[in-house]
Amino acid sequence: MNKKLFISLLIGMFFLNIQICFGQKNKPKLFEVKKIYIERIDDKKYEKFYESLTNELRRKLVFTVVSTIEEADSILKIDFLFEIIIHSEKGFFDPVFRCNLFSKSQDLIWKKDITIDTKGNTEADNHLAAQRIAEKLLKDWLKADRQKKKST
């Protein structure tokens, strides 16, 4: 191999490595989440849901729910959707809670869609959804934490 070509390839690989190393961000990991800010929709009909979700997350003893983004290391955003479920004689809407947990730099850390079978009672449905969201987040957090411990 030509000496100039060899040196050119080495220099090119060196600069490629620098670009790769400095171009990558250290994306936050789920097991690093401790303080969660819950982004709220400014609508009174969701107040009870947010209250239930805050209580359920606090009950899990892993997360601290904070009142400002500045205190948080992550932001939980819930989108409220509906899907039509066809049951034997009738069809009705079941709520879908699209959960996205972001870092403060807006990197997606965790994403889940939680569907519940509606009971026709908004307060009971909201409480059930809050329980399921907190349980799933904790379950996935514990799984990520175990994987981290195995790899170290």
Side-chain angles (χ1 to χ4, degrees):
M1 182 184 286
N2 177 325
K3 190 175 182 179
K4 277 187 175 180
L5 179 62
F6 180 73
I7 291 172
S8 295
L9 286 172
L10 281 177
I11 291 171
M13 289 173 52
F14 174 74
F15 283 111
L16 181 63
N17 277 338
I18 287 175
Q19 282 182 326
I20 290 171
C21 290
F22 288 105
Q24 290 178 343
K25 287 198 285 185
N26 239 357
K27 290 185 106 182
K29 307 285 188 262
L30 182 57
F31 62 81
E32 296 171 331
V33 170
K34 303 287 187 239
K35 295 179 182 179
I36 299 174
Y37 172 78
I38 302 171
E39 186 177 288
R40 296 170 182 254
I41 296 173
D42 192 20
D43 189 334
K44 288 187 185 261
K45 69 181 177 185
Y46 296 111
E47 281 181 17
K48 291 284 188 190
F49 167 75
Y50 290 123
E51 185 180 311
S52 288
L53 181 58
T54 299
N55 291 336
E56 290 298 323
L57 286 170
R58 285 185 175 146
R59 219 175 263 139
K60 300 304 177 196
L61 303 176
V62 170
F63 310 108
T64 302
V65 178
V66 296
S67 56
T68 65
I69 291 176
E70 292 74 30
E71 299 172 82
D73 54 35
S74 60
I75 301 156
L76 181 60
K77 183 177 188 236
I78 313 284
D79 292 318
F80 302 92
L81 311 168
F82 294 92
E83 67 180 22
I84 298 175
I85 306 295
I86 305 299
H87 293 278
S88 55
E89 291 110 37
K90 59 183 179 177
F92 55 87
F93 293 100
D94 277 349
V96 177
F97 297 80
R98 176 155 293 155
C99 309
N100 293 296
L101 185 68
F102 296 97
S103 68
K104 287 170 77 171
S105 61
Q106 295 300 308
D107 291 312
L108 183 63
I109 300 171
W110 179 78
K111 180 179 182 170
K112 289 288 181 238
D113 285 350
I114 307 291
T115 305
I116 63 164
D117 294 329
T118 187
K119 306 296 181 223
N121 176 333
T122 304
E123 192 170 329
D125 289 347
N126 286 340
H127 184 70
L128 178 60
Q131 282 180 318
R132 291 219 180 125
I133 291 166
E135 287 167 2
K136 185 62 178 159
L137 180 56
L138 177 64
K139 181 180 176 184
D140 289 351
W141 186 93
L142 290 169
K143 182 179 177 183
D145 190 52
R146 279 191 306 273
Q147 289 173 343
K148 173 198 72 159
K149 288 177 181 173
K150 282 182 184 179
S151 67
T152 55

